[in-house]
């Protein structure tokens, strides 16, 4: 009996994992949040290692704070420090940089089917499909995490008592491989400022 129960639970686990990676369907839209709540954070599936289109850009975040007196600080780079640390230790790299890059990917990367659909609508100059509920939830969670994380990286800002925090996400598009020998090839940097969040709401 114990073996049967264990096998059934294991089967349900693999079914949930397979469901999370299945193509977008009305059924997935309806039940994705419930399945995601079970899989996160320990059983989440990520197949980016085998992606047919690997990343060809650098992504990261800057953060700034607003003090109680209304003063706004400059932007702090909260990404490069851990990226450089990881690159400086090839055998035992720090995984801290993944805290940022993973959540930045969560902010920018959605379902590939929806992404292609929106891109097609933009090209045709048609109204763009709004974000699905699970996309909004995913982006809100990523923004809150990055905001909290940024506060830990600038502990002395506003004398340690910031009122609000804002994230600026940047994507540095690298020249294509075909232009690697072209001295005129330049990077392109896109930046997007996200909403200010109250520090009290992040605790």
């Amino acid at each position: 009996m114990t073996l049967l129960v264990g096998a059934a639970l294991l089967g349900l686990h693999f079914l949930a994992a397979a469901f999370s990676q299945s193509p977008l369907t009305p059924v997935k839209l309806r039940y994705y949040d419930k399945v995601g709540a079970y899989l996160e954070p320990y059983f989440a599936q990520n197949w980016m290692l085998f992606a047919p289109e690997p990343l060809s850009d650098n992504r990261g975040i800057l953060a700034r704070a607003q003090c109680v007196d209304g003063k706004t600080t400059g932007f702090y780079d909260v990404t490069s420090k851990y990226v450089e640390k990881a690159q400086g230790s090839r055998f035992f790299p720090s995984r801290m940089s993944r805290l940022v890059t993973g959540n930045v990917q969560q902010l920018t990367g959605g379902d590939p089917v929806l992404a292609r659909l929106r891109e097609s609508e933009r090209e045709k100059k048609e109204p763009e499909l709004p974000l699905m509920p699970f996309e909004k939830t995913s982006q809100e969670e990523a923004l809150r995490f990055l905001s909290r994380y940024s506060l830990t990286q600038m502990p002395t800002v506003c004398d340690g008592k910031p009122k609000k925090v804002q994230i600026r996400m940047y994507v540095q598009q690298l020249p294509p491989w075909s232009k690697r020998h072209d001295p005129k090839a330049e990077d392109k940097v896109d930046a997007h400022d996200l909403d200010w969040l109250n520090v009290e709401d992040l605790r």
Side-chain angles (χ1 to χ4, degrees):
M1 183 65 180
T2 304
L3 286 176
L4 287 176
V5 172
L9 292 175
L10 192 60
L12 288 173
H13 168 77
F14 283 116
L15 181 64
F19 176 80
S20 71
Q21 299 303 305
S22 65
L24 185 67
T25 64
V27 176
K28 184 174 182 178
L29 286 174
R30 183 173 182 178
Y31 295 106
Y32 183 83
D33 288 342
K34 294 180 180 178
V35 173
Y38 162 70
L39 292 174
E40 293 289 346
Y42 301 110
F43 304 117
Q45 305 295 306
N46 188 330
W47 302 104
M48 288 182 62
L49 177 63
F50 307 101
E53 298 179 3
L55 292 176
S56 59
D57 54 45
N58 291 324
R59 304 181 183 194
I61 61 169
L62 308 174
R64 64 178 177 176
Q66 186 180 92
C67 305
V68 177
D69 60 5
K71 178 184 176 183
T72 301
T73 68
F75 280 99
Y76 292 76
D77 185 349
V78 296
T79 303
S80 299
K81 175 182 176 182
Y82 290 107
V83 171
E84 293 171 358
K85 187 174 181 180
Q87 293 174 345
S89 178
R90 297 297 181 181
F91 294 106
F92 302 101
S94 169
R95 296 176 180 267
M96 288 295 291
S97 61
R98 296 187 183 184
L99 293 175
V100 175
T101 56
N103 280 278
V104 169
Q105 181 66 24
Q106 193 171 326
L107 278 173
T108 58
D111 189 283
V113 175
L114 292 175
R116 288 196 295 271
L117 177 59
R118 292 186 178 109
E119 184 178 352
S120 175
E121 290 172 338
R122 284 193 294 269
E123 290 175 355
K124 296 177 182 178
K125 298 182 178 179
E126 296 178 350
E128 191 171 319
L129 181 71
L131 290 175
M132 298 289 105
F134 74 90
E135 290 180 296
K136 290 181 180 179
T137 301
S138 177
Q139 291 185 7
E140 288 172 359
E141 290 176 351
L143 176 56
R144 289 178 62 82
F145 175 86
L146 290 172
S147 297
R148 286 195 300 266
Y149 175 80
S150 297
L151 289 171
T152 67
Q153 301 305 301
M154 44 184 192
T156 60
V157 71
C158 298
D159 295 325
K161 296 180 180 179
K163 180 181 179 182
K164 295 183 179 181
V165 61
Q166 183 185 40
I167 298 298
R168 171 175 288 179
M169 180 178 62
Y170 67 83
V171 178
Q172 179 189 17
Q173 298 285 349
L174 305 175
W177 181 255
S178 59
K179 296 184 178 181
R180 63 189 182 280
H181 299 303
D182 184 357
K184 296 182 180 179
E186 297 181 352
D187 300 349
K188 179 183 177 183
V189 179
D190 294 321
H192 179 60
D193 289 345
L194 303 176
D195 294 336
W196 285 94
L197 296 183
N198 292 318
V199 173
E200 289 296 328
D201 295 338
L202 297 174
R203 294 174 177 168

